[in-house]
Amino acid sequence: MQYASLAQQGETAQLGMWVFIATEVLFFGALLFAYFICRLSYPEQFALAGRDSKILLGAINTVILLTSSLTMIAAIELVKRGRRHAERLLLLTALLGVCFLGVKGYEYVQDFQDATVPALNFLLKPGYHPPAEIFWIFYFVATGFHAVHLTIGIAILLIMAEMTRRGRFSPGYYAPVETLGLYWSLVDAIWLLLFAAIYPLGRAAS
Amino acid sequence: MSAITADLPPSYLTHEFTLRSWLLSTDHKRIALLFFASITFFFFVGGFAATLIRLHLINPSTHLLQPDTYNRMFTMHGIVMVWFFLIPSIPTTLGNFLIPLMLGARDLAFPRLNLGSWYLFNVSGLLAIYFLVAGGVDTGWTFYTPFSTLFSNGHVIAAAVAVFVNGFSSIATGLNFVVTIHRLRAPGLTWFRLPLFVWAIYATSVIMLLATPVLAMTLALVAVERWLGVGVFDPSLGGDPLLFQHMFWFYSHPAVYIMILPAMGVVSELVTCFARRPVFGYSGMTYAMIAIAVIGFFVWGHHMFVAGISTFSAIVFSLMSFVVAVPSAIKVFNWTATLHRGSISFEAPMLYALGFIGLFTIGGLTGLMLATLDIDIHVTDTYFVIAHFHYIMVGGTVSAFFGGLHFWWPKITGRLYSEACARGAAILTFLGFNLTFFPQFILGYLGMPRRSYTYPPDFQVWNVLSSAGASILAVAYLMPLFYFAWSAFRGERAGPNPWRATGLEWRTSSPPPERNFERTPVVTCPPYQYDPVDGSYVAQDGVANA
């Protein structure tokens, strides 16, 4: 039967997002699987290449994204309780997302200056062998797809903030914000996995 | 349109007539028909390529197609038939139309997502048409690296993007079905009262959700490698082409079950209705479908027995492939046992269903031969493999699709078709199919490689037989276009339940009203309460012989 109540509709939306998250786990899971298989074949080369990745920038971004999850959850709580100005926390979350993209862009520029961008200006330094380039292909594909997800999240955050400002949500109906929160946590969790795989594990000696 | 519906009661077909009311409809029934139009188009595109291939292969020395064109034709046939017809076929049309009706719901859980899925499908379809018109792809539907990434002359990136976008349509549809089946069942409709078609679509959706993202990532890596000229599958960098095969088949073997499970669901409905007996071993049927969905994820390596995987992993994959045959065999035995002591009648849908059982059995048994390591090494990449999977996908899935279409046509349109024409088409399908593909088993066993541009003269007789069968099959597939078109305009009114079947979809008018049911049905019975002695039945809401 179709929705008898807003609560049932909200729970259904959440279930839909959980199922979507399962597909995303497989999407990024396939990439991480391929990454670890290749890392297993060329541990020294991956460690060499991984040490050229910018771990400080990666760590800053991890802090930014974790903070944004905190503001996201706080925003949901405010909307749930019907407080005014909940949209400000949503906008703050979006701003932190933009900061992440800014840092990431700066990191890409640094990567370019280090001549580690495959096909564009990749340079094999002394002691490096071709498999090192494979590390960087994974790096750009993984962070690129993550950035696309984050950008979509920021766009939806802005829409939700505007809807909140117009009073479209209430303690009885806030399912879209809560569902967005799930998506934002997914983007956050994927980053944690990518961060661990690329920066600390990337530079670990075999 | 108004001519079709002139003398019908108000329904989802008649409540509005504008183009906008179709293209922006969120009604699952209208979206099912939109999908039906799209996939029918692609069925004939893929069929056109198959026609050229079979015409070309009639004679080994006079070549109809240039070698390069020939490669593009079998690639086009594969890509279009797999992603633009077989995978969406039953779920997006019959599934979309029937799942809410069988559940007693007004619509799917996310109606707008459902419409979005159709648009995504068409965007991917336009991309597919683009790469076909621009000159096609010559890699085969499997996109094996490094040929596809570094050497092929075709439009590989466009094809990869088309399949990538197509995957989102698949995921959206699968997600919608899973959530709907969990959340929107009518009161009293417990999991073990669900019709087997619903179980089949559920199992299919789970595979779609868990396998498709892996294909998406794999093709993204292929597209990146093709675009940049360097990539993770590139052996000159130390990349691993076998890794591509693993990732590709991790999706593409379960994809076979995406194609066959819905067909099994359809056939279960048809066999029980026309044998007037409850399905034999209902709960076994549900567990078998879930088992197929789960085990199907662990057999992909049997596509790679000669690719250079270790003997140990080849043995494990061989064993798992035998294991997945067990639940498939359970289903065949259960359909057969359902027929036993039934009161069988041979309407057109039943003819398709019985054809399915026979052809699926042959396809399945030859699958066991291929799962055997030493036979597989002998017949790898020969026509034996081609014949095997066409028995499953065409003999199995397409037969069931046609059977289901005939069975639910009166529900979809409110009208009956010419039974004589339909029976003729069903019998022609069976005969034409066997004449097309049985000779290919022999060809393959004698050693004719697949995708081969020409062949030794000794093989000509089998190739001519196969092409002759294909022409019969083409007629059998075109016939329904005509009598269905006639039925849509002139067919006799069907009434709500022409087959005297038990599902909730038959407890509303034909065609159903916009909101499916006057009031939400309450389920009190398990499905398939048929009595073979007097042919009577009890519908799922407890009404007898309604």
Side-chain angles (χ1 to χ4, degrees):
Chain A
M1 58 191 266
Q2 217 68 13
Y3 308 120
S5 65
L6 286 174
Q8 192 197 3
Q9 189 177 4
E11 285 165 28
T12 305
Q14 293 236 350
L15 179 61
M17 185 50 78
W18 277 112
V19 175
F20 178 71
I21 286 172
T23 72
E24 289 283 0
V25 167
L26 268 292
F27 183 70
F28 282 95
L31 186 65
L32 284 173
F33 166 80
Y35 169 80
F36 282 112
I37 291 285
C38 289
R39 185 174 176 271
L40 214 59
S41 305
Y42 305 103
E44 295 86 9
Q45 287 303 313
F46 266 54
L48 269 180
R51 277 171 211 152
D52 293 337
S53 65
K54 316 291 176 288
I55 193 167
L56 181 64
L57 293 175
I60 292 171
N61 258 347
T62 307
V63 173
I64 292 175
L65 213 51
L66 283 173
T67 312
S68 78
S69 269
L70 179 71
T71 56
M72 180 77 232
I73 289 168
I76 295 172
E77 279 302 312
L78 288 195
V79 174
K80 198 189 272 185
R81 290 170 194 186
R83 300 281 174 80
R84 293 179 62 210
H85 302 313
E87 73 274 8
R88 288 182 186 170
L89 271 176
L90 289 172
L91 288 174
L92 180 60
T93 310
L95 183 67
L96 286 167
V98 172
C99 286
F100 178 98
L101 290 178
V103 173
K104 196 78 230 164
Y106 177 67
E107 192 180 340
Y108 282 164
V109 171
Q110 297 240 310
D111 293 330
F112 181 79
Q113 285 167 352
D114 279 3
T116 57
V117 185
L120 207 56
N121 70 347
F122 189 81
L123 207 64
L124 271 186
K125 288 176 234 171
Y128 288 58
H129 297 297
E133 195 171 356
I134 295 182
F135 172 89
W136 286 101
I137 293 168
F138 278 120
Y139 167 85
F140 280 104
V141 171
T143 54
F145 270 121
H146 180 261
V148 170
H149 281 77
L150 195 69
T151 309
I152 293 170
I154 292 169
I156 303 175
L157 267 171
L158 295 177
I159 296 169
M160 290 292 163
E162 178 61 16
M163 287 171 77
T164 311
R165 196 182 64 79
R166 291 187 186 174
R168 296 281 294 277
F169 303 118
S170 64
Y173 175 68
Y174 55 91
V177 184
E178 205 168 23
T179 311
L180 172 64
L182 271 179
Y183 176 81
W184 195 260
S185 305
L186 164 78
V187 174
D188 197 355
I190 290 172
W191 174 254
L192 290 180
L193 288 173
L194 294 185
F195 173 76
I198 291 171
Y199 300 93
L201 281 180
R203 66 191 57 222
S206 56
Chain B
M1 181 50 66
S2 54
I4 299 179
T5 53
D7 59 337
L8 290 172
S11 73
Y12 79 101
L13 290 171
T14 55
H15 75 92
E16 248 188 302
F17 291 109
T18 58
L19 188 62
R20 182 191 157 86
S21 75
W22 279 89
L23 294 183
L24 295 180
S25 173
T26 53
D27 181 343
H28 66 101
K29 301 182 287 301
R30 285 193 167 200
I31 294 170
L33 294 190
L34 293 175
F35 263 116
F36 185 70
S38 297
I39 68 163
T40 304
F41 171 75
F42 281 106
F43 180 64
F44 286 106
V45 172
F48 170 73
T51 308
L52 288 184
I53 293 168
R54 278 323 318 166
L55 283 174
H56 173 90
L57 289 174
I58 287 176
N59 193 314
S61 46
T62 58
H63 302 307
L64 176 69
L65 304 170
Q66 296 299 310
D68 196 45
T69 317
Y70 181 79
N71 292 347
R72 283 156 207 264
M73 278 305 134
F74 69 67
T75 305
M76 164 176 162
H77 173 68
I79 292 177
V80 168
M81 283 302 198
V82 169
W83 283 295
F84 294 91
F85 177 70
L86 284 165
I87 285 179
S89 61
I90 295 175
T92 60
T93 57
L94 295 175
N96 239 330
F97 196 95
L98 293 168
I99 292 292
L101 286 169
M102 286 179 165
L103 297 178
R106 285 210 300 263
D107 207 319
L108 290 171
F110 307 114
R112 280 181 296 183
L113 183 68
N114 197 20
L115 181 67
S117 173
W118 182 67
Y119 277 99
L120 278 174
F121 181 84
N122 286 336
V123 168
S124 72
L126 286 176
L127 280 165
I129 291 168
Y130 162 75
F131 84 71
L132 293 173
V133 172
V137 181
D138 59 353
T139 61
W141 76 279
T142 46
F143 297 110
Y144 269 22
T145 56
F147 179 70
S148 63
T149 48
L150 303 176
F151 303 105
S152 160
N153 294 318
H155 296 75
V156 176
I157 294 182
V161 173
V163 175
F164 186 91
V165 176
N166 183 285
F168 283 109
S169 165
S170 226
I171 288 173
T173 296
L175 186 150
N176 225 335
F177 287 148
V178 165
V179 175
T180 304
I181 295 168
H182 271 279
R183 302 283 310 174
L184 298 183
R185 303 191 306 273
L189 190 54
T190 58
W191 281 91
F192 284 96
R193 283 179 178 173
L194 288 174
L196 288 173
F197 180 74
V198 178
W199 272 100
I201 291 292
Y202 185 82
T204 307
S205 303
V206 169
I207 306 176
M208 280 179 171
L209 290 167
L210 297 184
T212 315
V214 176
L215 176 76
M217 183 51 84
T218 310
L219 290 180
L221 290 173
V222 166
V224 165
E225 184 166 336
R226 171 109 188 150
W227 178 42
L228 300 180
V230 290
V232 299
F233 304 126
D234 178 0
S236 64
L237 283 188
D240 188 356
L242 267 196
L243 179 62
F244 168 82
Q245 293 187 24
H246 278 293
M247 293 173 73
F248 179 80
W249 289 113
F250 181 84
Y251 164 81
S252 291
H253 194 79
V256 174
Y257 300 107
I258 296 178
M259 301 176 206
I260 199 67
L261 277 167
M264 292 171 158
V266 167
V267 167
S268 303
E269 301 290 324
L270 306 193
V271 165
T272 178
C273 177
F274 292 105
R276 309 309 294 173
R277 274 197 77 212
V279 157
F280 181 87
Y282 170 89
S283 60
M285 293 292 249
T286 64
Y287 291 128
M289 279 191 278
I290 299 300
I292 290 170
V294 173
I295 302 169
F297 273 101
F298 301 100
V299 301
W300 79 86
H302 67 216
H303 295 271
M304 301 169 61
F305 284 157
V306 299
I309 59 174
S310 74
T311 309
F312 177 73
S313 62
I315 290 171
V316 173
F317 279 122
S318 170
L319 181 69
M320 290 308 288
S321 308
F322 280 106
V323 171
V324 80
V326 174
S328 311
I330 288 174
K331 300 195 74 69
V332 171
F333 289 131
N334 281 10
W335 291 318
T336 319
T338 307
L339 295 172
H340 180 62
R341 288 176 179 273
S343 167
I344 302 170
S345 58
F346 295 98
E347 275 87 352
M350 184 61 157
L351 291 178
Y352 278 110
L354 294 173
F356 168 96
I357 296 174
L359 300 178
F360 175 76
T361 304
I362 296 176
L365 289 176
T366 51
L368 288 179
M369 292 170 73
L370 288 167
T372 313
L373 285 171
D374 34 12
I375 296 181
D376 183 77
I377 287 164
H378 180 66
V379 295
T380 284
D381 279 342
T382 67
Y383 264 85
F384 193 88
V385 178
I386 304 295
H388 154 70
F389 74 71
H390 280 86
Y391 264 80
I392 300 288
M393 292 176 189
V394 184
T397 304
V398 180
S399 293
F401 178 59
F402 274 77
L405 200 57
H406 284 81
F407 186 65
W408 284 292
W409 179 265
K411 179 54 62 184
I412 295 169
T413 62
R415 295 183 187 269
L416 297 174
Y417 47 82
S418 157
E419 185 62 34
C421 291
R423 285 184 198 190
I427 293 167
L428 267 190
T429 302
F430 185 79
L431 297 178
F433 177 85
N434 279 302
L435 188 56
T436 309
F437 290 102
F438 204 83
Q440 296 187 7
F441 277 127
I442 297 163
L443 277 173
Y445 203 77
L446 294 175
M448 180 166 162
R450 72 188 291 192
R451 297 173 175 172
S452 172
Y453 178 68
T454 184
Y455 50 83
D458 293 355
F459 291 163
Q460 191 175 7
V461 58
W462 301 112
N463 274 296
V464 169
L465 282 176
S466 181
S467 294
S471 62
I472 296 175
L473 201 54
V475 172
Y477 285 156
L478 286 168
M479 278 175 68
L481 277 187
F482 295 99
Y483 60 74
F484 275 158
W486 181 87
S487 158
F489 288 93
R490 293 268 180 274
E492 199 185 320
R493 289 273 295 279
N497 192 359
W499 310 116
R500 298 162 50 77
T502 58
L504 289 181
E505 78 270 28
W506 302 106
R507 301 290 295 130
T508 184
S509 51
S510 305
E514 194 194 353
R515 314 203 84 183
N516 290 353
F517 296 96
E518 295 294 321
R519 68 171 70 85
T520 302
V522 177
V523 174
T524 57
C525 292
Y528 317 128
Q529 297 298 297
Y530 296 106
D531 185 340
V533 178
D534 57 4
S536 65
Y537 67 100
V538 183
Q540 281 204 273
D541 57 0
V543 179
N545 300 313

